[in-house]
Amino acid sequence: MSARITPLSSVGARAGLLAWIGGPTLVSFVGLLIYVAPVHLLGVHIPMPLFPLMAIFFWAMARPQLMPPIIVFAIGLLQDLMTGGPLGLWAFSYLSAYMVMTLKSEMFAAHGDASLWVGFALMVGCTMVAAGLAGWLVFGSQVDWLYLIVQSFITVLVYPLAGRFYRRVQRSTQQARRLYDVHHGHRI
Amino acid sequence: MARPSASSFGWLRGFGTRISLFLLILVSVGLLVQYKVSDNNQQFSGVRQVTDDVTSPISNAITTPMWGTKRAWGFISSHWNAAKRVRQLEAENQTLRQWEALSHALHNKIVRYEQLLQIQGQPDLRVLSARVIAETRGPFVRSVLLRVGRRDGVRQGQAVVGPNGLIGRIVTVGNHSSRVLLVTDLNSRIPVQLEGSNTRAILAGDNQGNPKLIYMGKSFVPVAGTRISTSGDDGVLPAGIAVGELLTLQSSDVVRVRTYADLSAIDFVQVLAQPSLVPPEAEITEPVPAQSANTTGDVQ
């Protein structure tokens, strides 16, 4: 089945392709900015969910070609720089969890939203264990494990909401990609 | 939630991708090991400064509406119990007036004594107010990012205070932004003194809510409620900035300090810029010429 859509200018078509490719990275970056924002609830600091990890998981499952290891590494490194922490800590944690997820991704992908949520919980667990171990390597025994556990719970709880938003972004960028394909005469 | 494509991670089976994943993990571990063996705070400081400078305008744009909302909420909520607050403030004001009179009298007395003894006082501090635009309270780091930098006169090591006391010190300075290491951070070390005695110690953070005191000396006996201020022994932080007070000793031997500044919700801070002192050895640029050509050591 083929469809012809109104021809698009070359610049518009390329912008569509760029949005499709760069969308996940941009969303991860925005998540990172929100992650470091000083948010207080009734004057008390609450651990922020790991928004970058949510974006990594979503696109690693939905469109893995848009979330290759080098992007995961870059997001982790940027998080280390923006939080003022040891360089390599979050990059290592995200990549380790990403590697573990590659082994079980098809199992979680096959059973719908609930199993994806379980998969995400597993990825958060892997990330926190990796972060805790890396922190232990660097700082010794002075790692705030309670903070890690609370942050993990909040991250897992927030994921279904964030996932809805990411799906909308994914649909929009997918549409932009289609327009690019149409412009270049590809059948869709 | 994510609806995965049929080829989820299937592409990863590609040898090249696996290799790149493995190599990137190795690079990350290498960076961590380098952090461990090097001077922690100075690692890639240039890159950190640039990152903070680039991201600070975006963080500022994100936090501006948040602070606006917070201020609006504070304005509305303050009207709920306005009458009660007025009574509280009037009582507080009466007490403060008495303290003000006493403080003026003491100030005049100190100035008089300093004149009589010809004591060189502390250099004047320049105070710079700044807003917090990003915050890191992870399990590893406790720091905040300020929207002031080198162009505003901020320098590394300067003290940062809140309304009630010391918050931390500047560790990284960019052109438009600077990072403050909170006193609770693992890498924070502040020289302090205990009020009422001349006991010196180091206030050390360990990523817990209350920092601890170390290197107090064997004769030190902790008394709960003892006030603590900066000693200025490092030559960077000004002496006398209020820090907090000793907490009641728990079962462990660790002496902890409750900071006066509320570190759980920091919005505005002040950077204390102290004129840097040039040590005498740095002022000497040329060797002093010998008094005479006689170098044989003949002394009359």
Side-chain angles (χ1 to χ4, degrees):
Chain A
M1 183 179 161
S2 67
R4 301 296 294 178
I5 302 177
T6 313
L8 201 69
S9 72
S10 180
V11 176
R14 280 181 188 169
L17 182 68
L18 203 67
W20 186 69
I21 294 170
T25 310
L26 188 69
V27 169
S28 307
F29 178 64
V30 171
L32 196 48
L33 288 171
I34 298 170
Y35 174 71
V36 296
V39 178
H40 307 122
L41 193 66
L42 299 172
V44 177
H45 169 78
I46 45 165
M48 284 293 275
L50 286 167
F51 290 113
L53 182 64
M54 295 182 196
I56 290 169
F57 177 79
F58 180 89
W59 270 284
M61 296 297 282
R63 289 282 179 274
Q65 67 273 34
L66 299 179
M67 193 54 77
I70 187 73
I71 297 290
V72 178
F73 176 73
I75 293 166
L77 215 57
L78 196 59
Q79 184 166 336
D80 291 327
L81 286 169
M82 286 175 70
T83 55
L87 216 57
L89 196 146
W90 284 111
F92 169 75
S93 310
Y94 287 164
L95 284 169
S96 303
Y98 184 87
M99 190 176 71
V100 173
M101 280 307 296
T102 58
L103 305 172
K104 297 285 176 192
S105 64
E106 283 170 9
M107 190 179 90
F108 292 120
H111 299 96
D113 285 352
S115 68
L116 272 172
W117 199 12
V118 173
F120 178 68
L122 181 73
M123 188 167 184
V124 172
C126 290
T127 305
M128 292 310 189
V129 168
L133 287 175
W136 178 75
L137 169 79
V138 175
F139 301 119
S141 58
Q142 293 168 312
V143 175
D144 194 346
W145 289 98
L146 181 66
Y147 192 100
L148 277 175
I149 292 166
V150 173
Q151 193 173 36
S152 304
F153 271 111
I154 293 173
T155 306
V156 173
L157 281 177
V158 171
Y159 182 71
L161 273 175
R164 280 168 181 254
F165 170 71
Y166 296 149
R167 196 187 292 177
R168 282 183 176 222
V169 174
Q170 171 61 20
R171 279 180 190 156
S172 306
T173 53
Q174 189 70 34
Q175 198 137 9
R177 171 64 201 261
R178 267 191 204 134
L179 289 171
Y180 173 82
D181 287 342
V182 168
H183 182 76
H184 286 81
H186 299 158
R187 284 173 181 275
I188 57 173
Chain B
M1 268 187 275
R3 291 249 181 241
S5 66
S7 62
S8 286
F9 289 111
W11 61 280
L12 197 64
R13 294 193 184 96
F15 183 71
T17 314
R18 280 185 182 183
I19 286 287
S20 71
L21 183 55
F22 180 69
L23 285 177
L24 289 169
I25 289 177
L26 274 184
V27 171
S28 308
V29 173
L31 287 168
L32 280 171
V33 171
Q34 205 229 343
Y35 181 90
K36 177 78 177 165
V37 297
S38 67
D39 183 5
N40 299 352
N41 287 332
Q42 298 305 314
Q43 189 203 37
F44 300 106
S45 59
V47 183
R48 289 179 192 276
Q49 284 167 19
V50 171
T51 310
D52 286 345
D53 266 353
V54 170
T55 56
S56 64
I58 313 169
S59 294
N60 190 41
I62 288 177
T63 51
T64 299
M66 275 172 41
W67 291 129
T69 313
K70 190 182 172 186
R71 208 172 295 154
W73 173 249
F75 180 75
I76 294 164
S77 59
S78 67
H79 281 71
W80 286 103
N81 52 0
K84 190 182 169 189
R85 286 282 296 157
V86 166
R87 280 197 298 276
Q88 274 180 348
L89 289 170
E90 278 175 349
E92 200 176 309
N93 199 29
Q94 274 190 344
T95 317
L96 287 174
R97 275 178 193 281
Q98 292 167 7
W99 278 107
E100 189 188 14
L102 183 65
S103 131
H104 275 303
L106 287 172
H107 175 74
N108 291 336
K109 197 184 274 185
I110 288 169
V111 169
R112 181 76 185 130
Y113 286 158
E114 282 184 349
Q115 281 172 350
L116 286 170
L117 297 169
Q118 294 181 336
I119 292 173
Q120 282 277 331
Q122 278 205 341
D124 289 336
L125 293 173
R126 197 166 65 84
V127 178
L128 185 68
S129 296
R131 201 178 75 180
V132 172
I133 54 170
E135 189 178 61
T136 310
R137 308 277 183 111
F140 314 110
V141 187
R142 305 281 163 106
S143 70
V144 293
L145 192 68
L146 306 181
R147 186 82 174 102
V148 288
R150 198 176 291 113
R151 288 188 177 183
D152 307 289
V154 179
R155 298 289 179 269
Q156 196 176 16
Q158 287 174 343
V160 179
V161 297
N164 299 321
L166 186 74
I167 282 175
R169 67 204 300 177
I170 303 283
V171 284
T172 319
V173 190
N175 282 331
H176 309 284
S177 61
S178 48
R179 188 170 289 279
V180 181
L181 195 72
L182 301 183
V183 291
T184 48
D185 186 275
L186 198 61
N187 290 312
S188 173
R189 298 288 183 273
I190 309 277
V192 292
Q193 61 185 359
L194 278 72
E195 203 173 76
S197 68
N198 202 23
T199 307
R200 305 289 167 119
I202 299 289
L203 184 78
D206 56 357
N207 284 350
Q208 302 295 315
N210 297 308
K212 60 184 180 183
L213 277 189
I214 55 173
Y215 303 127
M216 294 89 74
K218 287 178 182 170
S219 59
F220 171 71
V221 181
V223 178
T226 307
R227 291 167 62 91
I228 289 169
S229 59
T230 53
S231 66
D233 287 344
D234 57 355
V236 182
L237 295 181
I241 302 175
V243 175
E245 59 188 32
L246 290 188
L247 284 169
T248 316
L249 269 182
Q250 301 297 321
S251 54
S252 66
D253 291 337
V254 179
V255 181
R256 293 205 174 266
V257 175
R258 184 185 67 79
T259 56
Y260 290 135
D262 182 10
L263 301 177
S264 63
I266 308 167
D267 44 12
F268 286 92
V269 297
Q270 288 181 318
V271 183
L272 303 183
Q274 182 176 235
S276 56
L277 291 172
V278 181
E281 61 272 18
E283 287 180 353
I284 300 168
T285 51
E286 289 176 14
V288 180
Q291 287 294 318
S292 69
N294 185 359
T295 57
T296 56
D298 296 344
V299 178
Q300 296 296 320

